[in-house]
């Protein structure tokens, strides 16, 4: 009996030590709101999922390998909370799916990973790539995530940070076709955050590439937090545009933020292909995990282009109000 008890205590201590060195967390977001939009063909009223953050469920794990080295993974699946449908057809973990090693050297990820522009959206966009003021409605992000990617990132104690990424095109006989190369260098310490990013994505034949270079940042004075960004987009035939943003967050209280932005797209290749958006938003935190939001934007198109609108020359008017809960 005594031997059995001692064996049980020893086993329990070993199990406890192992669990202390590794962990798996289930997390997620449920975001639901009322959306009213008129893009030139009549007003559409809907109940939409993911206005501020894409509704999702995720699994995050880490294992301490010793010597400061850790193995990590993230598996994240998006879904539509209004219908319960998967976020993407035939793709379970459509948001992120990667394994990584991290330590004093930084972190190396492999899998489906956020693009360098998208991962830095909160640095230069007062809306943080969300709600009606989403900068991706004007700016060229080159997508929000890329498959078959190796990403290395590093953050220094002095605030300097950076990352480089390579996404394999996986085209037989042509290693440059469909491949993406990207990088970013930034600084975030105290009230200042700034980032410079570049992304180069080859087309299906490897004969041309879409290239985006973006510089942006913000400075938090406390009550007022101005944002600015400028991007140059070139390649893939006739692509030659410039994107600009100025914005301001008014941090009324720790739980209340008013967001504003003005964006403009200028096409250097052809006339009458510009677009401008003005946006206003507000969020109120009910707790650390739950907040209310509302936002409005008006995106005006020139008559030879259609950005987020049903027909050329029409304006896209968007309004939403809703609730977001994180778990």
């Amino acid at each position: 009996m005594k031997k059995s008890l001692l064996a049980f205590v020893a086993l329990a201590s070993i199990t406890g030590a192992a669990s202390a060195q590794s962990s798996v967390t289930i997390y997620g977001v449920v975001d639901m709101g009322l959306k009213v939009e008129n893009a030139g063909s009549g007003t559409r009223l809907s109940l939409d999922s993911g206005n501020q953050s894409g509704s999702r469920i995720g699994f995050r794990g880490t294992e301490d390998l010793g010597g400061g080295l850790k193995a990590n993974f993230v598996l994240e699946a998006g879904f539509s909370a209004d219908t319960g449908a998967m976020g993407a057809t035939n793709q379970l973990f459509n948001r992120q799916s990667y394994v990584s090693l991290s330590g004093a050297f930084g972190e190396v990820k492999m899998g489906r990973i956020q693009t360098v522009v998208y991962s830095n959206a909160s640095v230069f966009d007062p809306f943080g790539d969300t709600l009606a003021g989403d900068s991706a409605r004007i700016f060229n992000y080159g997508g929000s995530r890329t498959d078959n990617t190796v990403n290395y990132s590093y953050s220094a104690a002095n605030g300097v940070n950076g990352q480089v990424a390579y996404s394999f095109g996986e085209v037989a006989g042509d290693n440059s076709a469909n491949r993406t190369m990207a990088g970013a260098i930034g600084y975030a310490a105290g009230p200042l955050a700034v980032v410079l990013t570049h992304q180069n994505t080859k087309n299906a034949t490897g004969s041309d590439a879409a290239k985006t270079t973006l510089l942006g940042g913000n400075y938090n004075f406390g009550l007022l937090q101005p944002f600015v960004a400028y991007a140059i987009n070139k390649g893939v035939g006739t692509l030659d545009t410039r994107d600009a943003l100025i914005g301001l967050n008014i941090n009324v209280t720790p739980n209340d933020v008013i967001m504003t932005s003005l964006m403009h797209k200028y096409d250097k290749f052809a006339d009458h292909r510009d677009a401008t958006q003005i946006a206003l938003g507000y969020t109120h935190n009910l707790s650390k995990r739950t907040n209310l939001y509302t936002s409005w934007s008006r995106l005006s198109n020139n008559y030879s282009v259609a950005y987020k609108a049903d027909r050329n020359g029409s304006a896209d008017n968007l309004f939403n109000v809703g609730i977001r809960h994180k778990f």
Side-chain angles (χ1 to χ4, degrees):
M1 180 69 178
K2 187 178 292 185
K3 290 183 179 179
S4 298
L5 181 60
L6 289 173
F8 176 79
V9 171
L11 180 61
S13 65
I14 294 171
T15 304
S19 63
Q21 294 175 5
S22 63
S23 65
V24 176
T25 302
I26 300 176
Y27 67 95
V29 177
V30 182
D31 182 322
M32 185 69 68
L34 180 67
K35 179 179 177 181
V36 183
E37 185 170 18
N38 189 322
S41 60
T43 300
R44 178 176 179 267
L45 178 65
S46 60
L47 188 64
D48 271 18
S49 173
N51 293 304
Q52 185 174 21
S53 299
S55 296
R56 73 200 72 166
I57 185 167
F59 305 87
R60 179 187 297 114
T62 184
E63 181 185 13
D64 190 340
L65 301 175
L69 186 65
K70 294 182 179 180
N72 317 283
F73 76 87
V74 168
L75 300 172
E76 194 174 87
F79 63 92
S80 297
D82 52 331
T83 64
M86 292 176 57
T89 304
N90 299 324
Q91 192 177 15
L92 177 57
F93 297 112
N94 64 308
R95 294 184 59 86
Q96 292 192 92
S97 172
Y98 69 80
V99 64
S100 75
L101 284 175
S102 62
F105 60 87
E107 184 174 16
V108 178
K109 302 175 182 176
M110 293 181 289
R112 178 171 170 81
I113 303 167
Q114 293 178 346
T115 65
V116 296
V117 179
Y118 179 74
S119 65
N120 284 285
S122 61
V123 175
F124 61 85
D125 180 2
F127 286 84
D129 187 42
T130 69
L131 298 174
D134 179 5
S135 55
R137 290 167 59 83
I138 288 285
F139 278 65
N140 176 28
Y141 275 30
S144 56
R145 300 164 187 86
T146 51
D147 297 335
N148 311 310
T149 299
V150 177
N151 176 291
Y152 168 72
S153 60
Y154 180 79
S155 296
N158 62 0
V160 175
N161 60 80
Q163 57 178 308
V164 291
Y166 185 93
S167 303
F168 294 86
E170 299 189 348
V171 176
D174 190 346
N175 291 324
S176 68
N178 282 336
R179 69 103 178 96
T180 295
M181 295 189 298
I185 184 169
Y187 176 83
L192 176 65
V194 62
V195 67
L196 172 66
T197 71
H198 179 76
Q199 182 164 299
N200 180 307
T201 300
K202 287 284 190 178
N203 62 6
T205 62
S207 59
D208 201 354
K211 299 176 284 288
T212 293
T213 303
L214 182 150
L215 175 64
N218 74 85
Y219 194 95
N220 192 340
F221 290 96
L223 175 63
L224 302 180
Q225 187 176 2
F227 290 74
V228 64
Y230 186 77
I232 300 172
N233 311 293
K234 289 188 175 184
V236 186
T238 61
L239 178 63
D240 190 6
T241 62
R242 306 293 183 269
D243 303 327
L245 175 152
I246 55 172
L248 180 68
N249 277 0
I250 304 173
N251 303 310
V252 182
T253 75
N255 294 319
D256 298 271
V257 180
I258 298 172
M259 303 161 289
T260 66
S261 69
L262 173 65
M263 295 187 292
H264 181 73
K265 178 178 285 290
Y266 170 61
D267 195 319
K268 295 191 66 175
F269 182 82
D271 294 333
H272 312 300
R273 293 180 55 86
D274 298 351
T276 302
Q277 176 176 285
I278 185 171
L280 176 66
Y282 170 71
T283 63
H284 171 69
N285 293 332
L286 297 173
S287 69
K288 290 184 178 180
R289 296 189 300 167
T290 305
N291 72 281
L292 304 175
Y293 62 78
T294 185
S295 65
W296 166 85
S297 69
R298 178 178 174 83
L299 195 162
S300 302
N301 302 322
N302 279 353
Y303 61 80
S304 295
V305 68
Y307 293 103
K308 300 294 182 181
D310 287 347
R311 67 171 186 270
N312 295 343
S314 65
D316 179 48
N317 294 280
L318 173 62
F319 171 80
N320 50 42
V321 58
I323 182 171
R324 178 184 66 173
H325 176 72
K326 301 177 182 178
F327 62 88

